[in-house]
Amino acid sequence: MGRKLFCDINPTCYKISEKKEILVRNIKDIFSGEKIAKNKSKEELPNIVLVIR
């Protein structure tokens, strides 16, 4: 059996790990240079559903 991940130790460690990953994602978003929406539109966008069988 391998080592346990930090987030697998207990629920508190899971929350800490979750917050860390959100912070890392936000930092990457800031420095990526890509345009990211800052406002959320209340208008619904049309939905396109493709069914491939």
Side-chain angles (χ1 to χ4, degrees):
M1 188 168 146
R3 291 176 36 174
K4 270 188 165 183
L5 295 174
F6 178 73
C7 62
D8 291 334
I9 296 172
N10 63 39
T12 302
C13 292
Y14 182 86
K15 284 291 187 189
I16 292 168
S17 183
E18 183 180 41
K19 296 290 184 186
K20 181 209 56 138
E21 290 300 322
I22 292 170
L23 178 65
V24 168
R25 183 184 65 216
N26 289 338
I27 290 170
K28 283 182 181 178
D29 287 347
I30 290 169
F31 290 106
S32 72
E34 292 184 41
K35 291 184 179 180
I36 298 172
K38 298 204 185 274
N39 299 324
K40 192 171 188 177
S41 175
K42 296 192 185 272
E43 181 180 326
E44 291 186 13
L45 298 174
N47 295 322
I48 299 173
V49 178
L50 298 175
V51 178
I52 302 172
R53 294 184 184 193

